[in-house]
Amino acid sequence: MRNFVVKTLANAAALWVAIWLLEDITLTGDNTGRKTVTLILVALLFGLVNFIVKPVVKFLSFPLFLLTLGLFTLVVNALMLMLTSWLADAMDLSFHVEGFGAAFVGALIISIVSWALHAALPDRD
């Protein structure tokens, strides 16, 4: 359970960095508390999308992964961020990604920050 909470908070931090750096990824809310709750809910949603949908997409696009030597992962990550934005909109969460370019750069930022945080934080299985 602790590992799940740590990974969710790391995803929330990575999403916050992407929101802070890119103007096309937005998180709106009335106050800081509401924004924090929304960010944590979006991080949970992002983790769920990456847990359920991403493996299926990676399996179906395996030839593209081989052809591009793994660089297609960046496109899949951007698509997962766009799907998270769409689902957040459907759930009435105030998180939005404007376009594929913002999703691509945002997914790259999220990947780098998540990697750094997971490397720095202890992992108990």
Side-chain angles (χ1 to χ4, degrees):
M1 181 67 175
R2 182 174 183 218
N3 193 26
F4 172 75
V5 172
V6 168
K7 287 184 185 255
T8 301
L9 292 176
N11 274 341
L15 283 164
W16 178 80
V17 170
I19 292 165
W20 180 62
L21 289 175
L22 300 173
E23 64 183 33
D24 288 337
I25 300 178
T26 57
L27 177 75
T28 56
D30 298 336
N31 54 33
T32 305
R34 182 166 276 247
K35 285 182 181 179
T36 303
V37 169
T38 302
L39 183 62
I40 291 172
L41 290 174
V42 170
L44 284 169
L45 185 62
F46 187 61
L48 192 64
V49 165
N50 281 326
F51 181 72
I52 295 173
V53 179
K54 189 175 181 179
V56 174
V57 172
K58 286 177 84 172
F59 177 75
L60 294 175
S61 60
F62 184 69
L64 288 173
F65 281 96
L66 289 177
L67 186 64
T68 64
L69 301 175
L71 289 176
F72 192 69
T73 303
L74 298 171
V75 173
V76 170
N77 289 344
L79 293 173
M80 295 304 108
L81 188 58
M82 289 183 74
L83 178 60
T84 301
S85 173
W86 181 80
L87 289 171
D89 187 44
M91 296 174 64
D92 204 26
L93 296 172
S94 57
F95 174 77
H96 185 69
V97 178
E98 185 67 38
F100 182 78
F104 187 84
V105 175
L108 186 60
I109 291 169
I110 291 168
S111 295
I112 292 168
V113 173
S114 291
W115 171 80
L117 288 174
H118 289 310
L121 295 172
D123 188 19
R124 292 187 182 179
D125 289 333

